[in-house]
């Protein structure tokens, strides 16, 4: 009997304590909610998106009008960390939608810009440029939400999102045919597709990011290396157009490339190489240069019995700022005066149509001058006036959308860090605007109709 009474007393005590435990649990939940522990980061699309397409970012579960700091970060393949921060205030219901809420002053950017956290990413190590080396792997964007106005605030939520470069079904084909060192990207579907050769600037190697992103929209893209890769020349001393001619012929003969001609897409030094190819080689219908020149720069160019010398320069015209960054925009000689005129490319011989994409704050060289002079020369020889699109505030490295602007980095030919120019927000807007216009130009002049997606 004594044992039974003891058990009943323990049950009775437990029943009396149970409401108190429940109240305590409710209190903990309330405290957690008020501290933001239940807030959640939402991406749309949810888990992954293409690098050149926008992604919507929102945060739920905040307190009404709560001040928060969002920190975005990603690592490149070398381990370099790129970061950005923005200050926000939640709405009256505790929600934060970056498409509706402007970033407050004090972060990497301010104002209403849903993709600001991406284009404003900056490297922890100065003078580093975000480069995608392996397009088969995504960049992973990490996002932190912290309470208050800085990194020291309480961590409220985290989220991750993959930024891919290859659309599902796009085929990546390494090309080692003859002397050609390249990568071919073929869209899904039966084809044939409008074909384009993509040539990058003085960095060497085989950059693939622009070519594969273009392939996502129905173009057969050949990313072409021309030095600093495998058994190609190790440095920029001289180039032979016969090498580039092999690549053109490879594309013209490919069963998945739609004829009768192909397009060329080049940035910086790649731009003047595209102009040279169009001027001397057959089968080129459309040419887009992004801050490219109409002079041969940096190396001798040979084709059969012809040689175009590189445009001269004077290193004494380099201006150094207090941070040791070189401004080289005035270094090159005037190509309209001898002996500089010997380096002019005879683009009036080209049979294709031209589009010049120009950053008006390009500090690498005078891209706007080159585009204007190209227009003068073409029209003086009875050719169609080229399309020229100029972007105020845009610098030299006009990349696909949402690639962070690089204000300064190492120039291999100059041998030091140089200023590339550009104001970040205007530069980002230029990239978003130029990208579909480049695609539309190629669709118009290569196929006459919209490329298959």
């Amino acid at each position: 009997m004594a044992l039974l009474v003891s058990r009943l007393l323990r049950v009775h005590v437990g029943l009396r304590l149970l409401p108190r435990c429940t109240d305590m649990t409710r209190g903990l939940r309330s405290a957690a909610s008020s501290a933001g522990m239940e807030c959640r980061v939402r991406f749309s699309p949810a888990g992954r998106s293409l690098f050149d397409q926008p992604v919507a970012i929102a945060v739920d579960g905040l307190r009404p009008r709560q001040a928060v700091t969002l920190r975005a970060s990603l690592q490149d393949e070398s381990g370099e960390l790129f970061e950005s921060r923005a200050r926000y205030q939640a709405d009256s219901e505790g929600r934060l939608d970056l498409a509706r809420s402007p970033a407050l002053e004090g972060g990497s950017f301010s104002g209403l810009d849903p993709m600001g956290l991406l284009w404003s990413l900056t490297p922890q190590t100065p003078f580093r440029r975000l480069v995608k080396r392996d397009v088969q792997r995504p960049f992973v964007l990490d996002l932190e939400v912290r309470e208050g106005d800085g990194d020291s605030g309480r961590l409220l939520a985290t989220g991750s999102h993959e930024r891919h470069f290859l659309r599902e079904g796009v085929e990546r084909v390494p090309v080692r045919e003859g002397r050609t060192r390249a990568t071919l990207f073929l869209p899904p579907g039966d084809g044939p597709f409008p074909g384009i050769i993509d040539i990058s600037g003085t960095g060497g190697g085989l950059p693939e990011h622009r070519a594969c992103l273009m392939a996502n929209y129905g173009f057969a893209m050949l990313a072409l290396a021309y030095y600093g890769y495998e058994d190609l020349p190790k440095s920029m001393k001289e180039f032979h157009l016969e090498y580039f001619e092999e690549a053109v012929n490879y594309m013209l003969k490919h069963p998945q490339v739609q004829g009768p001609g192909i397009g060329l897409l080049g940035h910086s030094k790649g731009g003047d190489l595209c102009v040279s190819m169009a001027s001397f080689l057959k089968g080129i219908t459309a040419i887009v240069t992004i801050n490219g020149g109409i002079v041969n720069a940096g190396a001798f160019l040979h084709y059969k019995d012809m040689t175009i010398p590189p445009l001269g320069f004077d290193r004494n015209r380099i201006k150094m700022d207090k941070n040791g960054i070189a401004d080289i925009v005035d270094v090159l000689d005037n190509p309209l005066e001898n002996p500089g005129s010997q380096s002019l490319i005879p683009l009036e011989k080209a049979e294709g149509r031209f589009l010049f994409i120009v950053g008006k704050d390009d500090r690498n060289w005078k891209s706007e001058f080159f585009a204007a002079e190209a227009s003068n020369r073409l029209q003086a020889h009875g050719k169609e006036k080229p399309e020229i699109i100029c972007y105020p505030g845009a610098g030299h490295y006009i990349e696909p959308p949402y690639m962070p602007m690089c204000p300064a980095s190492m120039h291999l030919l100059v041998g030091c860090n140089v200023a590339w120019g550009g104001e970040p927000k205007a530069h980002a807007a230029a990239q978003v605007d130029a990208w579909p216009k480049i695609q539309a130009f190629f669709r118009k002049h290569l196929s006459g109709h919209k490329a298959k997606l």
Side-chain angles (χ1 to χ4, degrees):
M1 176 63 96
L3 179 61
L4 178 60
V5 170
S6 176
R7 288 178 177 175
L8 289 173
L9 285 172
R10 283 202 296 268
V11 170
H12 179 68
V13 170
L15 288 173
R16 285 195 305 163
L17 290 175
L18 183 60
R20 294 182 183 179
C21 292
T22 303
D23 290 342
M24 184 180 296
T25 302
R26 286 174 181 166
L28 287 172
R29 287 177 180 171
S30 176
S33 178
S34 65
M37 295 300 290
E38 294 182 356
C39 78
R40 179 171 65 96
V41 176
R42 289 188 293 108
F43 296 96
S44 181
R48 55 182 288 168
S49 59
L50 289 175
F51 188 89
D52 63 335
Q53 294 185 353
V55 56
I57 301 174
V59 183
D60 296 328
L62 298 169
R63 296 194 305 271
R65 307 297 180 188
Q66 184 175 6
V68 293
T69 297
L70 271 59
R71 173 185 173 268
S73 64
L74 64 78
Q75 278 190 327
D76 66 10
E77 285 95 342
S78 69
E80 180 64 35
L81 185 66
F82 291 75
E83 297 178 300
S84 63
R85 292 166 177 77
R87 298 174 55 233
Y88 289 97
Q89 185 180 56
D91 65 15
S92 59
E93 297 181 352
R95 290 195 295 261
L96 176 62
D97 183 349
L98 271 58
R100 298 182 179 182
S101 302
L104 307 176
E105 296 288 341
S108 302
F109 69 98
S110 61
L112 185 63
D113 197 321
M115 294 293 287
L117 283 169
L118 282 81
W119 61 251
S120 67
L121 289 164
T122 57
Q124 278 193 335
T125 305
F127 312 123
R128 295 293 295 271
R129 184 167 68 91
L130 183 61
V131 177
K132 194 71 182 86
R133 293 175 174 84
D134 182 1
V135 299
Q136 298 178 94
R137 297 169 54 200
F139 278 138
V140 178
L141 179 73
D142 293 317
L143 190 69
E144 292 181 354
V145 182
R146 290 188 176 272
E147 193 170 34
D149 296 337
D151 291 346
S152 60
R154 182 183 304 178
L155 180 64
L156 304 179
T158 62
S160 296
H161 186 82
E162 294 183 349
R163 298 287 280 169
H164 287 255
F165 285 76
L166 284 174
R167 188 189 296 272
E168 185 176 352
V170 172
E171 186 179 1
R172 179 183 178 274
V173 184
V175 178
R176 304 295 184 272
E177 186 164 317
R179 292 179 295 176
T180 302
R181 302 293 177 264
T183 303
L184 178 66
F185 294 93
L186 293 172
D190 297 331
F193 307 97
I196 303 169
I197 297 176
D198 178 36
I199 305 178
S200 295
T202 58
L206 181 53
E208 298 179 355
H209 67 284
R210 186 170 54 223
C212 74
L213 287 172
M214 284 283 289
N216 295 333
Y217 299 97
F219 298 98
M221 298 293 304
L222 186 75
L224 181 65
Y226 60 97
Y227 91 100
Y229 184 75
E230 293 187 354
D231 57 351
L232 294 176
K234 302 301 181 186
S235 61
M236 278 186 54
K237 293 182 179 179
E238 60 179 7
F239 298 121
H240 295 265
L241 268 184
E242 286 85 355
Y243 171 77
F244 300 90
E245 191 171 31
E246 283 191 32
V248 171
N249 291 334
Y250 171 85
M251 290 293 280
L252 290 172
K253 295 175 182 178
H254 199 286
Q256 289 293 88
V257 174
Q258 175 181 310
I262 64 167
L264 303 176
L265 173 60
H267 170 256
S268 192
K269 174 61 185 175
D272 75 63
L273 285 170
C274 287
V275 174
S276 294
M277 293 165 69
S279 301
F280 293 102
L281 308 180
K282 302 296 183 181
I284 296 168
T285 305
I287 308 96
V288 177
T289 78
I290 303 171
N291 283 329
I294 60 167
V295 296
N296 181 50
F300 286 90
L301 182 68
H302 307 285
Y303 184 56
K304 299 179 179 178
D305 296 330
M306 179 274 305
T307 296
I308 301 179
L311 184 62
F313 62 92
D314 184 353
R315 295 185 68 93
N316 291 323
R317 293 197 286 262
I318 297 177
K319 302 180 183 68
M320 304 295 294
D321 72 7
K322 61 182 181 181
N323 298 314
I325 300 173
D327 186 337
I328 63 172
V329 72
D330 295 319
V331 166
L332 292 175
D333 294 343
N334 186 345
L336 303 185
E337 300 175 354
N338 283 325
S341 58
Q342 300 176 31
S343 300
L344 280 168
I345 302 166
L347 78 165
E348 63 274 6
K349 295 182 179 181
E351 299 175 355
R353 296 294 303 273
F354 286 91
L355 167 61
F356 293 90
I357 301 293
V358 174
K360 289 177 72 69
D361 193 33
D362 182 0
R363 305 303 297 176
N364 180 71
W365 55 20
K366 299 177 181 179
S367 300
E368 189 174 9
F369 163 77
F370 288 142
E373 185 59 26
S375 182
N376 293 338
R377 290 173 65 86
L378 287 169
Q379 292 181 83
H381 287 82
K383 297 297 182 75
E384 292 280 351
K385 183 179 180 181
E387 295 184 38
I388 301 175
I389 305 176
C390 294
Y391 291 101
H396 186 63
Y397 271 103
I398 297 179
E399 295 268 32
Y402 314 120
M403 187 68 76
M405 189 194 87
C406 178
S409 68
M410 174 62 66
H411 194 304
L412 294 182
L413 296 185
V414 181
C416 66
N417 293 316
V418 306
W420 301 116
E423 185 281 318
K425 193 164 189 173
H427 189 92
Q431 293 184 155
V432 171
D433 188 79
W435 191 235
K437 290 181 177 176
I438 291 170
Q439 297 170 33
F441 178 84
F442 281 128
R443 289 192 183 107
K444 176 180 177 181
H445 295 291
L446 294 181
S447 60
H449 56 82
K450 186 177 181 180
K452 298 177 182 178
L453 297 180

